[in-house]
Amino acid sequence: MIRKLAFLVGLAFVGAVLLAFVANLSGFISDPPTPTAESAGFHKEPKELALASNGPFGKYDRQQLQRGFQVYKEVCSACHSMKLVAFRDLRQLGYTEAEVKAIANKWTAEVPSINPETGEAATRKATPADHFPSPFANETAARAANNNALPPDLSLITKAREGGAAYVHSLLTGYAQQPADLLKRFPDVKTPTGLYYNPYFANLNLAMPPPLASDGQVSYADGTTSSVDQMSTDVAAFLVWTAEPKLEARHQVGIVVLIFLLLATVLAYLSYQNIWAEAKGKKRAD
């Protein structure tokens, strides 16, 4: 009796699932979803980006990371915070302790503090122990300065966005005029005033104006030619480091573990052969 009841319940469940599937399929056929500019192929996937840190054996190019930091300092830091990174972490990029102190002391945005004499809110110069301060006092001020859009923190941006460094590079180099075909097929998606067309952004329009607008915008300390593509690549590499400062150590540990597992597998196989060889010989003799 119980088996029959369970069979009927299962049959009813399967029937309900099939009925729902047929109903949804019928609705999809009779009333298909309206195509959008994104689904019509105007939204692009990030272009591949070759960085020294890519792959299981990747290592950071310190010179490139310093160039990327220079782009962040001179361009990106005007709007974007990097609150999970401390000034002293820059020593990992090859900067000396004195250079890190100078960078912190000369940073444009100051660190929020309290006036010990009055107890009122104040600001002070940054020290190597401080994290990079936000360029805005609060979210309201950030939105007011950016057409009501909140600039994201860049500390983990290459982890937070699908495509990582490739997304950052493609976005920075992807600003363009809206294609005529797009406006012809979807006249309602014309980029509004105050927004900028970028096919690598999710809805094709974003509030951030092109931050890297021309070649030579940043004069690299090492003399590298600073084209828009070069600056975009360098800052993307730098943001990979801010998101994964221990990447090289992780890769080294992974290689050691793989070698250990390989040796352990070989030793286990040899031990197996040695232990069971005599027993196998006796069995054959029998």
Side-chain angles (χ1 to χ4, degrees):
M1 183 65 182
I2 295 178
R3 289 183 179 179
K4 291 182 179 180
L5 182 61
F7 175 77
L8 291 175
V9 170
L11 189 61
F13 176 77
V14 172
V17 171
L18 288 175
L19 183 62
F21 174 77
V22 171
N24 286 322
L25 181 61
S26 176
F28 181 83
I29 294 173
S30 61
D31 185 21
T34 303
T36 63
E38 295 85 351
S39 64
F42 291 99
H43 174 61
K44 298 180 180 179
E45 293 298 321
K47 298 174 289 187
E48 291 188 12
L49 181 65
L51 295 176
S53 56
N54 290 352
F57 304 103
K59 293 184 178 181
Y60 287 125
D61 179 345
R62 261 55 182 184
Q63 192 171 11
Q64 182 178 52
L65 297 186
Q66 289 190 16
R67 293 197 303 268
F69 169 66
Q70 190 176 346
V71 174
Y72 169 76
K73 180 178 69 173
E74 297 184 18
V75 181
C76 309
S77 65
C79 297
H80 295 275
S81 61
M82 203 162 58
K83 61 186 179 182
L84 299 181
V85 183
F87 285 99
R88 63 188 173 195
D89 295 332
L90 295 176
R91 289 201 293 265
Q92 298 178 31
L93 306 188
Y95 291 104
T96 65
E97 186 173 348
E99 289 174 328
V100 171
K101 287 183 179 179
I103 290 171
N105 183 260
K106 295 178 181 178
W107 201 255
T108 304
E110 295 191 342
V111 178
S113 183
I114 299 294
N115 189 318
E117 298 179 358
T118 64
E120 296 180 351
T123 59
R124 60 171 175 80
K125 292 288 186 180
T127 68
D130 291 314
H131 288 72
F132 284 84
S134 171
F136 303 105
N138 49 50
E139 180 179 333
T140 302
R143 290 186 180 278
N146 292 278
N147 197 25
N148 203 38
L150 181 63
D153 182 86
L154 297 183
S155 305
L156 302 175
I157 196 69
T158 55
K159 288 292 188 183
R161 299 292 186 270
E162 183 179 0
Y167 168 79
V168 173
H169 174 266
S170 296
L171 188 75
L172 292 176
T173 58
Y175 288 89
Q177 294 294 323
Q178 279 190 305
D181 186 42
L182 170 62
L183 295 177
K184 182 178 179 180
R185 295 177 58 186
F186 304 96
D188 294 336
V189 302
K190 180 177 175 58
T191 300
T193 302
L195 298 182
Y196 303 86
Y197 177 76
N198 194 314
Y200 296 99
F201 193 63
N203 64 1
L204 306 181
N205 299 303
L206 72 164
M208 181 176 69
L212 301 174
S214 61
D215 296 343
Q217 187 172 338
V218 175
S219 297
Y220 281 139
D222 64 1
T224 300
T225 302
S226 55
S227 64
V228 171
D229 183 76
Q230 182 68 57
M231 291 184 289
S232 301
T233 300
D234 292 340
V235 76
F238 171 70
L239 294 176
V240 171
W241 171 79
T242 63
E244 285 194 281
K246 303 298 183 184
L247 177 141
E248 291 175 323
R250 180 168 58 81
H251 284 181
Q252 291 172 358
V253 170
I255 293 172
V256 171
V257 169
L258 287 176
I259 293 174
F260 169 79
L261 291 175
L262 179 61
L263 292 176
T265 300
V266 173
L267 290 175
Y269 177 75
L270 294 176
S271 298
Y272 164 79
Q273 292 288 84
N274 184 56
I275 293 172
W276 291 99
E278 185 176 350
K280 287 182 177 179
K282 288 183 179 178
K283 185 175 181 181
R284 291 193 190 97
D286 294 341

